[in-house]
Amino acid sequence: MSNSEVPQNQEKPMEVSANFFQGKYGKFCVSRENLDLQVAVVEQVLAVLNSAKFQEKLDPAGESSSPISVAGGEFLARIIPRTILDKIKFQVRAVLEKNEVADAKNAELKKMKSALNKCQGELKKIERVFENIQVGVVEARISVENESLEKKYLYANPAFCEIFGLDAKKYSVRGENLKNLGNDFPPEVRAKLQEKDAELFQKIQENPEEVEKGFSQKFSDSFLDSEGKMKYLCVDRFCKKVGEEISVHAAVRDETKLHDALEKLRVAVETKDNFFNIIAHDLKSPFNSILGLAEILSDDLEEYTVEEQKKMLQAIFGSAKNAVNLIENLLNWARAQSGKIEIQNESFSASTVCKNVTSLLAATAEQKKIKILENSNGAVVFTDKKMLETVLRNLISNAIKFSPEGKNIVVSVEKNETGIQFSVKDSGVGMSSEKKETLFVPGENESTPGTNNESGTGLGMLLCDEFVKTLGGKIWVESAEGAGSTFYFTIPDSKDSVEK
């Protein structure tokens, strides 16, 4: 079978004439897709070059004096196809190599895109964590080109905005709004931040190498929020110089609840110490008085007149009563502090409670010739009777203690817009403004002697404050030195607050 023949069971290749080198097939566009086609074309070119027709085109007369003869034609038939094939192979190889480089670059690009997508995914996860944690997170840059210390914020999470009373929807994003964040801080916070930035600038001047490497700072501070409440913060920040700016990343923890819990613990410890001091000293004194007087009467009763015996018995009675009242206060205070006290509300006349308390204190008031006047205005209250009696007993006892002989004490009850208001007014020595500030503060309400040098513990005022708050009311005092005192307290009103 000749080179120009194609088996019938094979697809007939592209027809190629002797004008192959002169026509549009003179250049090959090499690519992977047409490589098989080009090989088929080359095979047909070989067949054409070996054909008689092609030999006639080379030498029509058959007698050429050119060095190229029929033998030369056979030589060309061998050489030219190989040259074309080599050219094709070279072009194919160049394209393949170029495609391999492109494929390698594409593969590398895909890897880089995959890595970038992964990093972006991890960044979103981190930002979601920052969005939900209770710790404030903020990122900022501080310009140090001059002492103006211009600061720009790049990120603030919702917790940070909440701590400082800022609009989380407005600022907890990376965007243009953050440039105004510094202006919306409370004035006190802005001033403190400027102080910290000035300290940072000073550190740059004194120790630039440390700033270049980066350093951490931790400090605590406090400020008044927009509602006038004190907030206590702990700040951890990392600072590092980047070009002409300081990069600042800070974590801000609101430790107000922790501070309040520690303060309550401190007060509880002081209260416990005060409690034991009362037991050790104030409760011991009345019993010593009782024991001493009882011993005198027991050993030498006949040596004293009836009048003297009566006075000693009255002193024993007074000491015993004071001891009982103190023990009762201690027990009530202990129950209130432990949270085990139960409120048992009932409806009753305010006049009944006032009369019960004044009758208990009548003997003590009589010793100083003090009259207790009561004006309940027919009020009916709905509250815990025993707790109310304890508050009134302590306030009236306090009024007797600090009133001179022959004065009056007025107990009043009236209904107003805040509920049922009780007041206990005396004409005693009064108190200073400093004393008023600490009167209901555990550990600071030091007791002072009465007009007849009566001693006290200060526990009664604390108990009054505790019980009034437990009943849902509030207590306060109006007083001036030498002008007497009036103690007020309120309890919630009820539907049966006025007798019908």
Side-chain angles (χ1 to χ4, degrees), residues 313-325:
L313 287 173
Q314 287 177 343
I316 290 173
F317 174 77
S319 295
K321 191 172 183 180
N322 288 337
V324 170
N325 289 337

Side-chain angles (χ1 to χ4, degrees), residues 424-473:
V424 178
K425 182 180 181 180
D426 65 55
S427 302
V429 296
M431 66 184 80
S432 65
S433 57
E434 292 79 8
K435 180 66 177 177
K436 286 193 293 184
E437 292 295 325
T438 62
L439 193 61
F440 302 110
V441 181
E444 297 184 21
N445 62 335
E446 296 181 0
S447 179
T448 54
T451 53
N452 281 0
N453 220 22
E454 301 100 322
S455 63
T457 63
L459 184 61
M461 292 297 103
L462 297 180
L463 189 61
C464 288
D465 182 58
E466 187 78 28
F467 275 15
V468 169
K469 288 178 179 177
T470 302
L471 294 175

Side-chain angles (χ1 to χ4, degrees), residues 190-406:
R190 284 204 306 271
K192 290 187 176 182
L193 286 175
Q194 288 173 357
E195 289 179 9
K196 294 297 179 183
D197 292 344
E199 291 176 9
L200 183 59
F201 184 79
Q202 184 69 23
K203 192 176 187 70
I204 295 170
Q205 305 300 316
E206 296 174 354
N207 196 348
E209 293 182 359
E210 185 178 358
V211 181
E212 292 285 350
K213 293 178 181 178
F215 64 95
S216 299
Q217 287 183 321
K218 185 174 183 177
F219 56 90
S220 298
D221 215 328
S222 60
F223 72 97
L224 286 172
D225 63 12
S226 57
E227 298 178 355
K229 296 179 180 178
M230 187 65 73
K231 276 196 172 184
Y232 298 87
L233 307 179
C234 181
V235 181
D236 288 279
R237 70 177 185 176
F238 179 78
C239 309
K240 185 177 181 180
K241 189 174 182 183
V242 180
E244 295 300 322
E245 293 181 327
I246 300 294
S247 171
V248 180
H249 294 79
V252 183
R253 296 190 301 277
D254 186 350
E255 296 188 340
T256 304
K257 291 183 179 179
L258 176 61
H259 181 275
D260 292 345
L262 290 174
E263 182 63 20
K264 287 181 180 179
L265 180 60
R266 184 190 66 80
V267 171
V269 172
E270 289 183 355
T271 303
K272 181 201 70 174
D273 293 341
N274 190 33
F275 185 87
F276 285 120
N277 287 335
I278 291 170
I279 294 174
H281 180 266
D282 297 286
L283 191 57
K284 184 179 178 180
S285 296
F287 282 111
N288 283 338
S289 177
I290 293 170
L291 288 173
L293 292 171
E295 185 179 8
I296 292 173
L297 290 174
S298 177
D299 294 343
D300 304 306
L301 180 63
E302 297 80 4
E303 296 182 7
Y304 297 96
T305 64
V306 174
E307 188 64 29
E308 289 173 335
Q309 291 175 8
K310 185 178 179 180
K311 287 182 178 179
M312 284 189 280
L313 287 173
Q314 287 177 343
I316 290 173
F317 174 77
S319 295
K321 191 172 183 180
N322 288 337
V324 170
N325 289 337
L326 181 56
I327 291 172
E328 187 176 351
N329 278 345
L330 286 170
L331 292 174
N332 286 331
W333 175 254
R335 286 164 56 206
Q337 294 302 299
S338 64
K340 294 181 179 179
I341 194 166
E342 294 182 1
I343 300 177
Q344 297 180 345
N345 290 331
E346 57 181 305
S347 182
F348 53 88
S349 170
S351 177
T352 301
V353 175
C354 293
K355 289 177 179 178
N356 289 343
V357 174
T358 55
S359 64
L360 287 172
L361 300 173
T364 306
E366 181 63 29
Q367 291 178 0
K368 299 179 74 171
K369 297 181 175 57
I370 292 174
K371 290 183 179 180
I372 303 174
L373 307 176
E374 176 258 322
N375 183 15
S376 62
N377 294 311
V380 172
V381 295
F382 183 76
T383 189
D384 188 291
K385 191 174 184 179
K386 289 184 178 180
M387 293 178 72
L388 180 59
E389 286 182 344
T390 300
V391 174
L392 283 171
R393 176 170 54 78
N394 277 285
L395 292 178
I396 296 174
S397 294
N398 189 73
I400 294 171
K401 176 182 175 181
F402 291 103
S403 293
E405 291 188 4

Side-chain angles (χ1 to χ4, degrees), residues 44-97:
Q44 289 203 34
V45 168
L46 290 172
V48 170
L49 290 173
N50 289 319
S51 67
K53 190 176 181 180
F54 186 75
Q55 293 296 330
E56 290 178 1
K57 280 186 174 289
L58 289 176
D59 188 10
E63 299 178 353
S64 175
S65 58
S66 168
I68 302 177
S69 60
V70 176
E74 292 176 354
F75 174 76
L76 289 175
R78 292 189 187 98
I79 298 303
I80 292 175
R82 184 174 296 172
T83 304
I84 294 172
L85 184 59
D86 288 344
K87 182 177 180 181
I88 293 173
K89 287 181 178 180
F90 175 79
Q91 292 178 352
V92 169
R93 189 179 299 114
V95 171
L96 290 176
E97 289 176 354

